[in-house]
Amino acid sequence: RSRGLGDVYKRQVEDVINEVKVDPDSFQEFISTYSRNSIYDTSEKKAPIFVSATVYHATEHQTDSTPMITADNTDLREIDINKYKIIAVSRDLLYMNGGPLKFGDTVLVSGAGPMNGIWHVHDVMNARYTNHIDFLVDSSVKSGRWENVELTIL
C-alpha cells in the first residue's frame, strides 16, 4: 500500500516539533503567539475566514464506509488525533471549488473554546454543508457547536 499524503504532513509536523525540541502543546502555543506578534509580516497574511463549526468522530455513522481514511488519504490509524489535529471542511471552502483552503493547509482556529489552536485540513464534509468545519475528536468529546469561528491560514 502506498503511503498517503497524511504521512508526509505527519512527518513534516513531527520534524518541526523535533527541530525546535518542544512538546506539541508548547509548539502550538508558540505558533499561535508568533502569528499574532507585531513583528510578523501581515502583508502576506490572508484575511481570516469565519465559519460555523462542530465536532465529528471517525465512525461510519458520521463519515463514510472508510472512516479511518480521510479525503486526502490520511490514515487515521497512524496518527494520534489528540496531537495532530485534523479538520474536515465544507466543499465550498476547498480551493478546487473556489475556496481558500487546500488539503494539508494549517490553520489557526479562534472562537471555538476548547478547540482553539492549530489544526490541519485533511478531510471534507458532506455536500449539504457550506461555510462549515468539523473538528475530528476522540470519543471522549461528545458534542460541540460554535458560530463565527475564525480560521487564519498559517
Side-chain angles (χ1 to χ4, degrees):
R1 183 175 184 266
S2 65
R3 298 181 69 83
L5 288 174
D7 296 322
V8 174
Y9 300 124
K10 179 182 172 189
R11 281 194 307 277
Q12 287 174 345
V13 168
E14 288 171 350
D15 289 347
V16 170
I17 290 170
N18 289 334
E19 185 177 313
V20 296
K21 298 194 184 330
V22 297
D23 66 23
D25 293 334
S26 295
F27 180 66
Q28 285 188 338
E29 185 177 325
F30 166 77
I31 292 295
S32 297
T33 301
Y34 177 76
S35 67
R36 291 188 305 263
N37 191 320
S38 60
I39 298 171
Y40 185 72
D41 181 6
T42 56
S43 64
E44 294 184 29
K45 193 172 181 181
K46 297 182 180 176
I49 306 156
F50 291 91
V51 298
S52 297
T54 48
V55 300
Y56 78 110
H57 304 104
T59 64
E60 282 189 40
H61 175 71
Q62 293 187 22
T63 61
D64 60 13
S65 62
T66 58
M68 299 308 288
I69 306 295
T70 65
D72 72 349
N73 206 30
T74 298
D75 189 337
L76 298 177
R77 294 169 293 211
E78 299 175 6
I79 293 173
D80 179 351
I81 62 168
N82 293 311
K83 291 184 180 173
Y84 187 78
K85 299 176 178 183
I86 292 176
I87 58 172
V89 300
S90 56
R91 296 164 195 246
D92 62 312
L93 295 174
L94 283 175
Y95 183 79
M96 66 180 81
N97 297 324
L101 299 170
K102 298 176 186 172
F103 287 126
D105 276 352
T106 301
V107 296
L108 174 63
V109 174
S110 303
M115 301 297 148
N116 288 349
I118 305 296
W119 292 79
H120 309 278
V121 178
H122 285 288
D123 214 350
V124 68
M125 298 178 72
N126 186 290
R128 71 178 176 264
Y129 292 98
T130 58
N131 203 46
H132 198 100
I133 64 169
D134 253 352
F135 299 104
L136 177 61
V137 295
D138 67 31
S139 60
S140 69
V141 179
K142 300 301 180 199
S143 65
R145 181 167 182 78
W146 301 268
E147 297 296 332
N148 209 29
V149 174
E150 181 178 341
L151 301 181
T152 303
I153 301 171
L154 300 178

